[in-house]
């Protein structure tokens, strides 16, 4: 099954959703519950941390202080 990445407009978190079809959308953001989510097309879970729920560094929305992976390329220095 295809694994899609979604970006939450509300809180900026990136999460993955296992969809049976390309038209299927996740019900809501797992973090804040917002239903305004946008599908990510640029990446395909290649650089995702194995733990679920971590902020997606590829989104550019996390900083060095909030990045749980410790390897955020967007960290402000
Ligand atoms: Zn959210």
């Amino acid at each position: 099954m295809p694994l899609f990445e979604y970006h939450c407009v509300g809180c900026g978190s990136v999460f993955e959703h296992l969809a049976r079809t390309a038209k299927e959308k996740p019900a809501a953001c797992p973090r804040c519950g917002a239903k305004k989510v946008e599908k990510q097309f640029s990446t395909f879970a290649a650089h995702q941390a194995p733990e679920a729920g971590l902020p997606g560094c590829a989104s550019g929305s996390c900083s060095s202080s909030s990045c749980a992976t410790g390897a955020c390329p967007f960290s402000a220095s």
Side-chain angles (χ1 to χ4, degrees), residues 7-13 15 28-34 36-37:
H7 167 259
C8 174
V9 178
C11 70
S13 67
F15 57 97
C29 170
R31 177 167 296 177
C32 72
K36 283 190 130 185
V37 296

Side-chain angles (χ1 to χ4, degrees), residues 3-76:
L3 185 64
F4 295 105
E5 280 191 339
Y6 289 87
H7 167 259
C8 174
V9 178
C11 70
S13 67
V14 175
F15 57 97
E16 296 174 348
H17 176 71
L18 195 61
R20 283 177 292 182
T21 69
K23 292 181 181 179
E24 183 179 322
K25 300 184 71 175
C29 170
R31 177 167 296 177
C32 72
K35 293 188 175 179
K36 283 190 130 185
V37 296
E38 297 176 343
K39 186 183 286 185
Q40 301 272 91
F41 287 103
S42 55
T43 60
F44 190 69
H47 301 288
Q48 285 290 316
E51 295 85 1
L54 291 176
C57 293
S59 71
S61 62
C62 68
S63 63
S64 58
S65 59
S66 64
C67 180
T69 68
C72 181
F74 296 99
S75 60

